[in-house]
Structure formats: C-alpha cells, structure tokens
Amino acid sequence: QQQVKQSPQSLIVQKGGISIINCAYENTAFDYFPWYQQFPGKGPALLIAIRPDVSEKKEGRFTISFNKSAKQFSLHIMDSQPGDSATYFCAARMDSSYKLIFGSGTRLLVRP
Amino acid sequence: NAGVTQTPKFQVLKTGQSMTLQCAQDMNHEYMSWYRQDPGMGLRLIHYSVGAGITDQGEVPNGYNVSRSTTEDFPLRLLSAAPSQTSVYFCASGRGGVGYTFGSGTRLTVV
C-alpha cells in the first residue's frame, strides 16, 4: 500500500514553461511534506518543504501548494530550465516518529 | 565536513553471500535511515534509528538487519543476499525530523 501517491511518472516541459507535479496522501498523521530533487548517480537533495498549517511556500522558482482538506500537495517549477531536468520525489513524515515516506518519483525533462 | 558517507559505491554479490553496507555521518544527527531505490518504486524505507541503541523497521525490512551503537554509524547488513535485493541503497540522516541529508548511494547487484 503506497502511502504517498505521486503523478505523473514522467513529464516533458519546454524551457520557460511551468512544471507541475502532484502528490496525494491518506494518513492524517503526516505533519511535514518535503520535496527532493535527484540527479542521475546522486543521492536525493532537499529542495523545499512545507507544514500542513501553511497553504503555500515559495523559494525562488519553486513553489509548494498544500491543500489539507483534499490531502494533496504539489510542486510548481516556474520558468523551467534544462538544468531542472531531474527526478523529483515528494515525501511525507509521520508525526509520531521521524519516518519519511516517499512517493514513486517524477522524471522531469526540460527541453531547450 | 563530509556529510553522509556510504561505502562501498558498487558491489556485486553472489546469492547467499552476506555483506554490510556502511553509513557514517559527521553532523551529529540523531536520526539515520536506510532506503532502497528501485525503478518506478521510489525510495522505500528499510530501517531507521532515532538515536544510538534505538532502531525500528520501515516499509521493507525483511532480509536486512541494522544496529546503531554510535551516533555516527548505521550499518545495514544483508545476511543472505537474494537477487530481489539488487537495488541502489541510500543512507540518510537528519536532526529534528527535517532536512534529511542523503549519501551518494551504494549500487548492489546480486547474481
């Protein structure tokens, strides 16, 4: 049973476009929602994170939108660049522990 | 400041062999964890620890053992390797439950 569902599996966007990746969860015990970026051959790196008491968080070209009632959150990459081409993972942390559960990942390709 | 160091980077095992994947962090993080990454499956939590002497199971613990005798080290042991354990393994550490730092991974092939 996948606790965090991520879509789409892959995404192709033109340079300058907006990339949108969506995640959904069921467990209301999750209390922290980070996004990770992974380049080939590297470990995932924290990109941006949000807590459920906030509906939106923006850091540069990256924005998380959070809908607590719908149990959904999404990553928006504005003005997408070829250097953003990577695999993106959403995740959720259990509030009773430090367990971080990941989505299945989205492979983003930004074409020049 | 090395962050999270994983060794080895690559390993090939024969079915039934045992081995230990090493993970060390120098950031004094109380939380450490092991994930495996398989195509289309994302990162799945194997085991985690919230401090020295404390470990717990994640989503896919079968076939793996861990121990946490020090804050810095969190080795992952495969007692009898199986082809289904072919994967890329990542160790991560963190403090306060946020901002986990990942190592660069160990690519394991079991033949």
Side-chain angles (χ1 to χ4, degrees):
Chain A
Q1 178 186 2
Q2 192 170 13
Q3 296 196 54
V4 181
K5 295 184 178 181
Q6 183 172 346
S7 64
Q9 191 172 30
S10 62
L11 182 61
I12 299 175
V13 173
Q14 290 296 126
K15 179 182 176 182
I18 302 173
S19 304
I20 302 174
I21 305 170
N22 301 299
C23 284
Y25 65 97
E26 288 296 325
N27 195 332
T28 56
F30 291 138
D31 68 343
Y32 170 73
F33 301 88
W35 285 88
Y36 281 79
Q37 180 188 56
Q38 184 182 32
F39 293 105
K42 304 292 185 182
L46 179 65
L47 187 61
I48 187 173
I50 197 168
R51 296 187 187 274
D53 55 347
V54 176
S55 61
E56 184 175 283
K57 183 174 182 180
K58 183 176 181 179
E59 290 185 1
R61 296 185 292 109
F62 300 91
T63 300
I64 301 178
S65 297
F66 190 86
N67 186 329
K68 189 174 182 178
S69 61
K71 298 180 193 172
Q72 296 175 348
F73 58 110
S74 60
L75 176 69
H76 296 235
I77 306 175
M78 311 300 287
D79 186 26
S80 298
Q81 298 296 313
D84 296 331
S85 297
T87 300
Y88 292 82
F89 293 97
C90 64
R93 186 192 70 181
M94 300 290 291
D95 64 0
S96 59
S97 71
Y98 290 175
K99 288 170 61 175
L100 195 62
I101 306 299
F102 282 82
S104 56
T106 297
R107 183 172 291 185
L108 171 66
L109 175 63
V110 181
R111 289 200 166 132
Chain B
N1 193 341
V4 177
T5 302
Q6 289 185 238
T7 56
K9 293 190 181 303
F10 303 93
Q11 184 70 49
V12 178
L13 285 180
K14 293 183 178 179
T15 297
Q17 285 185 317
S18 63
M19 80 160 295
T20 299
L21 306 186
Q22 301 292 344
C23 176
Q25 53 94 5
D26 60 358
M27 298 172 284
N28 200 31
H29 287 168
E30 76 275 15
Y31 177 84
M32 296 186 75
S33 58
W34 277 100
Y35 289 86
R36 58 177 290 172
Q37 183 174 19
D38 303 290
M41 302 292 289
L43 292 145
R44 291 182 293 171
L45 182 64
I46 304 172
H47 285 286
Y48 67 100
S49 168
V50 297
I54 306 170
T55 63
D56 206 348
Q57 296 181 350
E59 302 168 276
V60 289
N62 293 339
Y64 308 95
N65 282 347
V66 292
S67 61
R68 184 95 180 269
S69 57
T70 67
T71 300
E72 295 78 19
D73 300 298
F74 191 46
L76 178 71
R77 282 182 285 274
L78 285 71
L79 297 179
S80 179
S84 61
Q85 294 178 305
T86 293
S87 187
V88 181
Y89 291 85
F90 288 100
C91 178
S93 73
R95 177 193 297 278
V98 299
Y100 298 160
T101 300
F102 280 78
S104 57
T106 294
R107 185 175 294 273
L108 175 68
T109 302
V110 182
V111 298

